[in-house]
Amino acid sequence: MDSIRRSSYRLKALSTGHKELQLVISEQKSARVEYKNAIKVNKSATDQLLKWSQTEESEALQVSIQALAELNLAWCDVQRDLADQLKVANTTFERILEEEKELDKARKALEKSQQKEKTMQKEVDRIHKKGEDPGFAERKLEQAMRSKEIAESEVQGRYQETEANKQNMVREGLVCVAQAHLSMARKCSTLFEAYESICQTIPTRSERDSEPPPFTDSSKVASVCQSAIRMADRAQVVRSASYAIGSLPPDEPLPPPPGSYMPPSYEEVDGFTRSAPGSLRIGESRPRGRSSVEDDGWASDEFDD
């Protein structure tokens, strides 16, 4: 079905002019559709993992996978935010296409006025050859010439405006994409550091154990899970400057001592805003946010194209 949809986008692009720009728009739409589908599949797989864990006798599996499912739900929300930003970026190129079409209309109007001027000039020349009074035809010719001058001015003005807007809008759209990915990367780091920490709380079990070992980290797992979700919700990307072409990013600071807790921070180094490395550790107490995967209702949400 997706391949059919992609083909329809391409056919539309090839049949409406501005082929390259139309293909940019259609391919971005296709990429966004496939990205949204991947989010839904990932959410479905997590739901199945959660259902399976609830049938197991191990409390460690039940508690930890419940927390992991909540983290994955938050991760799906992060990816959905990125999909929304990709749509905003795609709208940028749609606006450029509309301005290009308006410029095309102005050029066609100019061509029409030029053709009218040529026709009237021929008419004046014909009347002169016949020795008749060319007064009426000359007035028509003057009107055609003024119309052509107005059309030329319109084309020149629209061209300059379109080119300036094009560059500015592309810059705005691509910066939007970059910042959306930076935000996603920071939130990804926060969520999956917690994900790893929670996985490490699952105790190892010997095949000689008749019963699963006791699990005493339930409250700690919940604390780390909710702390990570809260920090991911608050994470923002603020760029104070852009890296110059050919420049190298600043050196990373030394990591914290093993076993320490350092929440992701956003600091400015040499004029660049970036996140400092950090990791979540079991035992850090934070206020709790969302309490369950079932209460969220994200699976029923639908994307628009």
Side-chain angles (χ1 to χ4, degrees):
M1 190 66 182
D2 288 340
S3 61
I4 295 175
R5 192 169 188 174
R6 286 167 64 89
S7 297
S8 67
Y9 284 144
R10 288 198 176 109
L11 289 174
K12 180 181 179 182
L14 294 172
S15 62
T16 55
H18 299 285
K19 180 177 68 174
E20 292 79 7
L21 183 54
Q22 284 277 12
L23 285 175
V24 169
I25 295 170
S26 65
E27 288 298 317
Q28 287 185 344
K29 285 183 177 180
S30 298
R32 184 169 176 269
V33 168
E34 293 179 6
Y35 184 67
K36 293 185 295 183
N37 289 337
I39 298 172
K40 293 178 182 179
V41 171
N42 180 45
K43 175 64 171 58
S44 177
T46 300
D47 289 343
Q48 295 306 315
L49 176 62
L50 179 60
K51 290 178 181 177
W52 169 80
S53 70
Q54 301 309 309
T55 66
E56 293 297 303
E57 64 177 4
S58 170
E59 181 185 3
L61 290 179
Q62 293 179 5
V63 172
S64 60
I65 292 178
Q66 169 72 29
L68 297 180
E70 292 191 35
L71 289 174
N72 191 72
L73 181 63
W75 174 235
C76 288
D77 289 340
V78 171
Q79 295 177 90
R80 183 172 58 176
D81 291 341
L82 176 62
D84 292 340
Q85 291 303 312
L86 293 178
K87 182 179 180 180
V88 172
N90 197 49
T91 302
T92 296
F93 291 95
E94 292 174 346
R95 288 164 54 198
I96 291 173
L97 179 60
E98 290 302 315
E99 291 202 4
E100 292 282 5
K101 289 180 178 179
E102 291 299 318
L103 179 57
D104 287 345
K105 291 179 181 179
R107 284 171 171 160
K108 288 181 179 179
L110 174 58
E111 291 175 1
K112 186 177 179 180
S113 63
Q114 288 173 335
Q115 185 60 42
K116 186 174 182 180
E117 180 191 23
K118 290 180 181 179
T119 300
M120 294 308 304
Q121 183 64 59
K122 289 180 180 179
E123 179 66 15
V124 170
D125 293 342
R126 185 186 65 81
I127 293 174
H128 274 296
K129 289 180 180 179
K130 293 175 65 176
E132 299 177 355
D133 182 12
F136 178 77
E138 287 178 343
R139 287 194 296 271
K140 287 290 186 179
L141 176 59
E142 290 176 359
Q143 292 176 0
M145 293 175 65
R146 285 196 296 270
S147 297
K148 186 193 72 171
E149 291 173 355
I150 293 173
E152 287 176 341
S153 178
E154 176 72 10
V155 168
Q156 182 65 21
R158 281 194 174 274
Y159 174 78
Q160 293 176 346
E161 180 182 5
T162 298
E163 290 302 307
N165 289 344
K166 182 191 302 182
Q167 185 159 320
N168 294 337
M169 286 190 289
V170 168
R171 178 183 182 277
E172 176 185 348
L174 296 182
V175 166
C176 176
V177 170
Q179 290 182 341
H181 280 87
L182 286 170
S183 177
M184 179 180 178
R186 284 160 169 73
K187 294 179 181 183
C188 175
S189 176
T190 298
L191 293 172
F192 283 96
E193 284 176 359
Y195 197 103
E196 179 187 20
S197 294
I198 290 172
C199 290
Q200 291 173 351
T201 67
I202 302 175
T204 57
R205 181 176 176 178
S206 171
E207 60 185 21
R208 289 176 291 183
D209 295 336
S210 59
E211 295 182 357
F215 185 65
T216 60
D217 286 330
S218 296
S219 61
K220 295 178 181 179
V221 165
S223 176
V224 168
C225 174
Q226 297 306 322
S227 176
I229 291 173
R230 287 168 59 87
M231 285 192 291
D233 287 341
R234 294 196 302 265
Q236 299 291 333
V237 175
V238 179
R239 304 289 290 181
S240 60
S242 300
Y243 289 121
I245 299 299
S247 67
L248 295 176
D251 294 335
E252 292 292 335
L254 294 176
S260 64
Y261 172 81
M262 179 180 290
S265 60
Y266 303 96
E267 58 186 10
E268 183 171 304
V269 177
D270 296 335
F272 302 102
T273 303
R274 56 182 178 76
S275 61
S279 59
L280 288 168
R281 292 291 180 264
I282 296 299
E284 186 71 18
S285 177
R286 296 285 182 182
R288 298 189 60 182
R290 290 178 291 183
S291 60
S292 69
V293 176
E294 291 82 357
D295 293 340
D296 189 272
W298 185 87
S300 62
D301 288 351
E302 293 294 335
F303 290 101
D304 57 350
D305 290 336

